[in-house]
Amino acid sequence: MTGIVDTVKGLVRGSTDVLTKIEALEDAAEAGRGRLDQVVLSEASQIVDRASQRLRMSGDLTVVALAGATGSGKSSLFNSLTGLDLAAIGTRRPTSSMPLACVWGEEPAGELLNWLGIPRRHQVQHRSSLEEAQSEDLDGLVLLDLPDHDSTEVEHRLIVDRLVELVDVLVWVVDPQKYADAALHNRYIKPFASHSSVMVFALNHADKLTEEQRKSCLADLTRLLKSDGLKTPQIVATSAVDGAGLDDLRALLVKRVNAKRAARERLAADVDRVADRMASQCGNAKTPQLAKSDITELVDALAEASGVPVVVEAVRRSYLQRATAATGWPVTKWLSRFRPDPLRRLHLDQMPRQQSKALRKSASTEVSIARSSLPVATPVQRARMDTAVRNITNKAAAGLSRPWADSVRTAIRRREESLGDELDQAIARTDLGASTTPGWWGVARFLQWLLFLMALGGAVWLVVAGFLQIQDLTLPKWEGIPYATIMLVGGAALGLAVSVACRIFAATGANRRARLVAKSLRAELEKVAESHVIAPAREELDAYTTCRDKLAVARG
């Protein structure tokens, strides 16, 4: 009982391993889509689809195909293994060039055979002449006799090519005269070298060789297969005439059938094969990391190229000018109206909230405003920005294989084309505080008008008194000084003093406003750098990391 439990656990674990490899390959192919070679990605998708179809079918059936060239004797070997006489079923198999399937046991194989494309008239149930015990050992075996792989009929070769991709175990039947055939090795063995565990080679017609010749052929065939990439090729010398080697071949089939792992091993080999091809393109380099200093350098370059220093200075000067106009001495502040507002000259002075929201929805409006206002970046500024972008690109692509490095550069280059427009929009959508009025401006304006009216009242009082020349009219005085004079001089002096104080406060407020605007502008530019340079690079690097790591699982 313990042995059965261990066997079941082993089967479940093997299935999980295969499923994990298949899922990993699917994830790697998805991550590499548009980056790696489309032919390899298509092959990976086909293997994933084929594997999912095969795993949905019975895992208790093992499909073994006898394949070989014309005259290799595979049909005779098929007869010997099955106990069938192909000539006796000629009505079911119209030509010897079509595949024939023989099924051992009671397990339903119709769905699997339909998937393999074996017509019903080419399917036979095993009725072996072997002893019953031997027959039961092969329950679950589906043995196929394939057409000749070197047939002159294209259709026959296509059938072989298709089934070679689908069966669980391949038995290549070769004869002493054709085992070194270049077509066999170049078309089927070398490309499937990673499938060594699911391939068996039967050196047939061994009865025609002496013992010395048989050893020589086996040694030479082993050498050729190892040169093709098979590490430990399985080779059996067979003969359908005297039965030599048939027991050994049958023992190999029994082992495969009883283990019930051939299908999973074949799928695992398929995954390994395409995963190796993908890995050769993907590479296994460590994922590059973008340093914070590189991002800071990029934002600095973007700020300089987009005119942030100009805008910040304009905000500072505009604040000072508007503060002077709002809090200055009414007699002199009107002079400031003749000086153009620095933000107005940049067309950045009017940005109501509703208009700002509308501009965010209309990129064309934002670009128009920004372009018509801000100075164009100088060649030096532009060169610095290009250098910073190129530095990020090079560091993101450092050490990557060529497909991934090209993908990183393409992704950044594609977004970089709109970088200039996005920088203009970032400036235009930033609230520069042009419509914001500090509360102390109103207090200062009220005080200035109060002092102005006081001085004006004193002046009028003095003028009226002097104009009327009223001798008997005595002006009220304080310490010998007429109140009218005190009102005139005091109001003017205090007004000028308030103006000076307001200028000091305004300078402090202007510097603070400039710092806040600079911080807001930099935050917007960081978003632009993130969306147009950093994010595309990181997206590619994340895809690379996924592809690399998933391929490691698929190849594991």
Side-chain angles (χ1 to χ4, degrees):
M1 180 65 69
T2 302
I4 296 176
V5 172
D6 292 340
T7 301
V8 172
K9 288 183 178 179
L11 293 177
V12 172
R13 182 181 179 184
S15 178
T16 302
D17 289 343
V18 173
L19 287 174
T20 300
K21 289 166 69 71
I22 293 171
E23 290 173 357
L25 178 63
E26 184 177 20
D27 292 340
E30 184 62 30
R33 198 169 307 281
R35 290 134 177 153
L36 302 181
D37 182 29
Q38 185 58 41
V39 174
V40 179
L41 294 177
S42 297
E43 183 179 353
S45 298
Q46 292 172 4
I47 287 177
V48 170
D49 292 340
R50 186 164 69 236
S52 63
Q53 294 173 14
R54 180 64 180 94
L55 290 174
R56 284 198 301 267
M57 300 174 190
S58 175
D60 292 331
L61 295 175
T62 302
V63 182
V64 179
L66 299 179
T70 304
S72 61
K74 55 184 175 58
S75 295
S76 299
L77 202 58
F78 182 86
N79 286 344
S80 298
L81 290 172
T82 61
L84 297 174
D85 184 0
L86 293 182
I89 58 172
T91 56
R92 297 186 188 180
R93 193 183 193 201
T95 66
S96 60
S97 60
M98 297 299 292
L100 176 68
C102 181
V103 182
W104 274 259
E106 301 301 325
E107 179 74 17
E111 182 184 11
L112 179 58
L113 291 173
N114 289 337
W115 180 66
L116 292 171
I118 308 297
R120 189 170 185 80
R121 65 181 183 277
H122 295 274
Q123 305 172 15
V124 295
Q125 196 70 27
H126 180 258
R127 294 291 182 269
S128 179
S129 61
L130 301 174
E131 295 181 2
E132 189 63 25
Q134 290 178 309
S135 177
E136 290 179 356
D137 286 342
L138 291 175
D139 280 356
L141 171 64
V142 178
L143 187 64
L144 304 182
D145 181 20
L146 301 187
D148 302 331
H149 71 77
D150 60 349
S151 173
T152 57
E153 295 292 334
V154 175
E155 180 183 0
H156 301 165
R157 296 200 302 271
L158 293 177
I159 292 174
V160 175
D161 292 346
R162 180 175 60 82
L163 290 175
V164 162
E165 297 278 356
L166 300 179
V167 300
D168 302 329
V169 179
L170 271 167
V171 178
W172 288 105
V173 182
V174 296
D175 64 76
Q177 295 182 350
K178 293 184 179 180
Y179 68 79
D181 180 40
L184 171 64
H185 289 266
N186 295 332
R187 187 172 182 178
Y188 296 106
I189 299 179
K190 287 182 180 179
F192 290 91
S194 59
H195 293 58
S196 177
S197 62
V198 296
M199 285 197 292
V200 177
F201 295 87
L203 180 64
N204 206 20
H205 299 316
D207 57 290
K208 297 180 180 180
L209 302 174
T210 64
E211 184 64 25
E212 189 65 28
Q213 290 173 333
R214 182 183 305 178
K215 291 181 179 179
S216 177
C217 286
L218 289 173
D220 192 44
L221 178 57
T222 301
R223 179 188 61 79
L224 288 174
L225 294 176
K226 287 185 175 181
S227 67
D228 289 337
L230 279 70
K231 296 181 180 179
T232 55
Q234 303 177 71
I235 306 175
V236 179
T238 60
S239 172
V241 175
D242 59 12
L246 292 183
D247 289 340
D248 293 336
L249 180 57
R250 186 178 294 106
L252 286 174
L253 298 182
V254 169
K255 182 179 179 181
R256 295 281 181 170
V257 171
N258 291 340
K260 300 185 185 302
R261 296 180 56 184
R264 293 190 294 274
E265 289 178 356
R266 169 58 198 262
L267 295 177
D270 288 340
V271 172
D272 289 340
R273 177 181 172 225
V274 72
D276 286 341
R277 293 184 61 189
M278 287 180 62
S280 66
Q281 295 183 16
C282 179
N284 60 354
K286 183 179 179 180
T287 304
Q289 299 295 323
L290 299 179
K292 187 175 181 180
S293 58
D294 296 326
I295 299 176
T296 300
E297 181 182 349
L298 173 62
V299 176
D300 291 341
L302 296 181
E304 186 176 339
S306 60
V308 167
V310 175
V311 175
V312 171
E313 178 61 20
V315 168
R316 188 189 69 80
R317 290 169 52 202
S318 175
Y319 185 98
L320 282 174
Q321 188 169 325
R322 290 188 298 117
T324 300
T327 65
W329 180 243
V331 176
T332 58
K333 71 177 185 178
W334 63 274
L335 296 173
S336 63
R337 296 180 180 179
F338 294 97
R339 291 180 295 174
D341 186 282
L343 286 180
R344 186 176 295 116
R345 295 179 62 183
L346 296 175
H347 294 177
L348 296 173
D349 59 321
Q350 297 295 328
M351 189 61 66
R353 293 184 179 180
Q354 292 181 353
Q355 183 181 3
S356 178
K357 291 180 180 179
L359 289 177
R360 290 174 186 173
K361 296 179 181 179
S362 175
S364 61
T365 304
E366 291 177 330
V367 173
S368 175
I369 290 176
R371 285 183 174 175
S372 62
S373 309
L374 298 175
V376 178
T378 65
V380 174
Q381 293 171 337
R382 184 70 191 182
R384 183 187 175 191
M385 182 179 71
D386 292 342
T387 299
V389 173
R390 187 164 55 252
N391 180 53
I392 292 287
T393 303
N394 291 338
K395 290 196 173 183
L400 299 182
S401 61
R402 183 168 182 177
W404 283 107
D406 291 344
S407 182
V408 169
R409 294 188 177 94
T410 300
I412 295 178
R413 190 182 303 115
R414 188 184 302 118
R415 298 301 302 274
E416 186 184 3
E417 294 175 356
S418 60
L419 184 58
D421 289 344
E422 189 61 32
L423 291 176
D424 293 337
Q425 295 173 28
I427 299 297
R429 65 173 170 258
T430 301
D431 184 8
L432 303 180
S435 59
T436 302
T437 302
W440 69 269
W441 286 11
V443 176
R445 182 185 297 110
F446 174 78
L447 181 60
Q448 286 286 41
W449 277 105
L450 184 64
L451 293 173
F452 173 73
L453 291 176
M454 184 178 73
L456 181 62
V460 171
W461 194 350
L462 290 174
V463 170
V464 170
F467 179 75
L468 296 178
Q469 296 181 353
I470 301 176
Q471 299 296 330
D472 296 334
L473 180 63
T474 303
L475 296 174
K477 297 180 181 181
W478 180 79
E479 297 290 335
I481 304 173
Y483 280 114
T485 303
I486 293 175
M487 291 172 61
L488 174 61
V489 176
L494 288 176
L496 292 175
V498 170
S499 295
V500 172
C502 287
R503 282 181 176 272
I504 295 174
F505 283 118
T508 302
N511 291 333
R512 181 174 178 275
R513 175 65 59 79
R515 289 195 300 270
L516 291 176
V517 169
K519 184 177 180 180
S520 297
L521 288 171
R522 188 172 184 87
E524 289 293 335
L525 295 183
E526 287 175 352
K527 294 178 182 178
V528 175
E530 175 68 25
S531 63
H532 282 64
V533 181
I534 307 302
R538 284 179 174 161
E539 182 179 348
E540 296 303 312
L541 293 179
D542 288 345
Y544 163 74
T545 302
T546 299
C547 186
R548 179 199 62 195
D549 294 347
K550 292 297 183 179
L551 284 176
V553 174
R555 301 171 70 195

